[in-house]
């Protein structure tokens, strides 16, 4: 009887050791999942307008669709003011989890966007992938959402739900665009909710 019990314990312990170790730590390498992208103030007519939305193409493919209307060039005379809010443990957005204020908006967005910059530029049929982006209306028939999640952000951060508010201002400190992106940072082995 003792040998049978020992054999069963050995069998179960060896089958458990084959599974990957998946710690439940509060931060680490993550997978980015973008949930929503929308304008801050829908009633304002800004000089730059990103009218983007997500559309399900198939049960596993979601696409970014919409247009970008630039009444002024998107260039390095603009300033980017970003505020990252985290979802609080009791609910509601808690602002200032990360703050980014930088001049040369176009160059810095290109640098931070990484491979997603080229995907978006190509998907919206923009004539150049260099700064500045000229005045015009750029329309996409659809870009796979997973391709725009390949950003050049820090590779380790706290897991959770976030909202990024990005305001672009001109030299007179007037807001020319305001866009919000809601996203989640999940563990690499997790699936989105």
């Amino acid at each position: 009887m003792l040998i049978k019990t020992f054999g069963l314990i050995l069998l179960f312990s060896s089958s458990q050791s084959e599974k990957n170790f998946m710690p439940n730590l509060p931060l680490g390498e993550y997978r980015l999942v973008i949930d929503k992208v929308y304008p801050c103030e829908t009633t304002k007519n800004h000089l730059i307008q990103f009218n983007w939305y997500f559309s399900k193409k198939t049960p596993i493919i979601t696409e970014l669709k919409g247009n970008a209307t630039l009444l002024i060039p998107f260039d390095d005379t603009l300033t980017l003011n970003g505020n990252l809010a985290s979802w609080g443990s009791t609910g509601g957005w808690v602002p200032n989890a990360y703050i980014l204020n930088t001049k040369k908006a176009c160059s810095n967005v290109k640098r931070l966007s990484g491979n997603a910059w080229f995907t978006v530029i190509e998907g919206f049929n923009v004539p150049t992938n260099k700064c500045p982006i000229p005045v015009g209306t750029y329309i996409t028939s659809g870009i796979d959402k997973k391709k725009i999640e390949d950003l050049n952000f820090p590779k380790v951060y706290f897991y959770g739900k976030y909202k990024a508010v990005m305001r672009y201002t001109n030299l007179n400190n007037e807001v020319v665009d305001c866009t919000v992106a809601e996203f989640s940072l999940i563990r690499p082995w997790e699936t989105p909710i």
Side-chain angles (χ1 to χ4, degrees):
M1 179 70 170
L2 183 63
I3 295 174
K4 288 182 181 180
T5 305
F6 182 69
L8 284 173
I9 291 172
L10 186 62
L11 175 70
F12 285 120
S13 65
S14 68
S15 67
Q16 293 294 338
S17 65
E18 292 175 9
K19 292 186 178 180
N20 292 335
F21 178 63
M22 296 182 219
N24 195 17
L25 298 173
L27 78 150
E29 290 187 25
Y30 60 84
R31 194 160 54 97
L32 172 71
V33 179
I34 302 172
D35 301 317
K36 300 176 188 174
V37 179
Y38 54 92
C40 299
E41 303 107 359
T42 56
T43 58
K44 289 217 174 179
N45 288 327
H46 289 296
L47 296 174
I48 297 176
Q49 300 167 18
F50 298 112
N51 302 306
W52 297 350
Y53 64 94
F54 289 118
S55 175
K56 278 266 199 213
K57 182 176 182 180
T58 69
I60 58 171
I61 297 176
T62 301
E63 291 184 326
L64 173 72
K65 292 193 171 195
N67 66 67
T69 302
L70 282 65
L71 301 176
I72 60 170
F74 183 68
D75 59 18
D76 282 342
T77 64
L78 301 176
T79 301
L80 168 62
N81 299 304
N83 191 316
L84 186 66
S86 61
W87 187 255
S89 59
T90 58
W93 293 110
V94 180
N96 304 331
Y98 186 84
I99 297 172
L100 174 68
N101 292 318
T102 182
K103 296 187 183 296
K104 297 186 177 183
C106 186
S107 296
N108 282 306
V109 167
K110 181 179 179 180
R111 182 179 53 81
L112 289 171
S113 298
N115 292 330
W117 170 270
F118 299 103
T119 302
V120 170
I121 292 293
E122 184 180 313
F124 278 89
N125 301 309
V126 178
T128 180
N129 64 8
K130 296 181 172 85
C131 292
I133 303 299
V135 172
T137 299
Y138 305 102
I139 301 170
T140 183
S141 58
I143 303 170
D144 188 349
K145 183 174 89 160
K146 289 182 182 174
K147 291 182 179 177
I148 63 169
E149 293 172 347
D150 184 14
L151 301 170
N152 196 18
F153 286 4
K155 302 302 179 205
V156 174
Y157 204 74
F158 294 94
Y159 301 118
K161 185 176 175 180
Y162 294 93
K163 177 171 79 170
V165 178
M166 297 154 291
R167 285 186 172 78
Y168 298 94
T169 57
N170 61 16
L171 294 172
N172 298 326
N173 210 25
E174 300 166 332
V175 176
V176 296
D177 176 63
C178 185
T179 302
V180 178
E182 293 182 25
F183 60 92
S184 297
L185 301 180
I186 61 174
R187 292 166 184 85
W189 56 85
E190 291 181 326
T191 55
I193 297 174

